[in-house]
Amino acid sequence: MPCDTPPTPVRCVTAGGIATLTLNRPAKLNAISTALAAAMLDALDALETDESVRAVIVTGAGERAFSAGADIAEFTQAVRRGPEAAVRAFRPGQTLCARIEAYPKPVIAAVNGICYGGGCEILEAAHLAVASERASFSKAEIKLGMMPTFGGTQRLPRNAGRKRALEWLLTGDAFPPATALAVGLVNQVVAHDALLPAAFELAGRIVRHSPAAVSGILGAVTRGLNMTIGEGLAVETERFARLAPGPDLRNGLEAWLSR
């Protein structure tokens, strides 16, 4: 490989039915460029159709950041070209977060450092999350005179509650892992060296179960959150109706009855 060839913006490694996607721009604090968002979407597309992959972990390269957010240099160029170009520039990040949120396999964020702006929006979209004790969180867009553009105005209030979300969105103040844990943005806070093992352990507790049941739960919860309870129950029924004819449910019931 020529020495001036840029590294791939996303690394993908699979082991034991779990894929690890690493945001790979450590010199830029894993900022989310158009190329990185596209690479993530391509990787997620490939992993969705790979039946050997049962869960996905997303983390950041290097010791400093999960992701510091959108690539500001790239975004600034788009803003200079006018509103239409600016909107087009944030679409890839918005699409990526929506894809993560609706993904049919569990996506676990392993937050290894700075998790600001668009990086925090990836966290908000992920189904589950483990954070290093060194992690730091912020909705820092307001400091640039802008607002979140990858879905943060919608997902953060659903994750953390309206008033707490508005405090972070309107001040840009950073907050520690303990606070992220207390409001439900992350499931666990662990020692830095234990981050990936903890993420793999969490994934392992999921992938031992029926992939059809896991996918059904993810789909029902994700869709139902934005519905009335009655509409959500209809989604739950529809997802169960898909699950019922399959072998996983029959095998699971028979195994229980034969104990």
Side-chain angles (χ1 to χ4, degrees):
M1 179 183 295
C3 62
D4 58 350
T5 300
T8 177
V10 176
R11 298 199 309 264
C12 179
V13 177
T14 61
I18 301 167
T20 302
L21 296 178
T22 303
L23 311 179
N24 189 33
R25 302 183 72 207
K28 298 291 185 180
L29 299 181
N30 302 320
I32 304 163
S33 63
T34 300
L36 186 147
M40 278 287 289
L41 287 165
D42 287 345
L44 291 169
D45 287 347
L47 294 172
E48 181 177 357
T49 59
D50 186 342
E51 293 185 0
S52 70
V53 172
R54 303 278 304 280
V56 178
I57 294 170
V58 179
T59 193
E63 290 295 315
R64 297 181 60 195
F66 175 75
S67 174
D71 187 316
I72 300 303
E74 184 179 86
F75 189 70
T76 299
Q77 294 299 319
V79 170
R80 288 171 179 166
R81 294 195 296 271
E84 291 184 4
V87 169
R88 284 196 301 272
F90 75 66
R91 289 294 186 204
Q94 191 179 69
T95 300
L96 172 60
C97 289
R99 179 77 164 111
I100 290 171
E101 183 177 52
Y103 205 60
K105 301 178 182 184
V107 178
I108 301 171
V111 184
N112 56 304
I114 291 169
C115 186
Y116 287 2
C120 198
E121 285 167 303
I122 289 177
L123 166 66
E124 294 155 22
H127 304 126
L128 299 161
V130 181
S132 160
E133 61 190 357
R134 299 182 191 173
S136 177
F137 305 83
S138 174
K139 302 302 297 180
E141 293 92 342
I142 192 76
K143 296 181 178 181
L144 301 175
M146 63 177 289
M147 57 185 287
T149 57
F150 295 174
T153 62
Q154 302 306 303
R155 292 190 183 93
L156 188 61
R158 287 168 167 81
N159 275 242
R162 175 172 171 264
K163 286 182 170 61
R164 183 63 68 94
L166 279 171
E167 178 183 349
W168 290 330
L169 290 163
L170 295 173
T171 65
D173 291 346
F175 54 96
T179 302
L181 179 64
V183 301
L185 274 176
V186 302
N187 299 86
Q188 302 174 45
V189 177
V190 299
H192 187 71
D193 291 343
L195 178 65
L196 284 179
F200 272 91
E201 190 275 336
L202 177 57
R205 288 191 280 126
I206 297 168
V207 302
R208 63 186 176 178
H209 298 300
S210 156
V214 169
S215 179
I217 290 167
L218 290 172
V221 170
T222 299
R223 289 180 59 194
L225 278 174
N226 298 319
M227 296 177 171
T228 65
I229 185 66
E231 293 168 333
L233 289 171
V235 171
E236 182 178 87
T237 300
E238 183 265 332
R239 294 304 300 241
F240 176 73
R242 290 192 211 175
L243 181 66
D248 287 3
L249 177 59
R250 291 197 302 272
N251 292 341
L253 293 173
E254 293 298 331
W256 189 90
L257 289 172
S258 66
R259 290 190 306 173

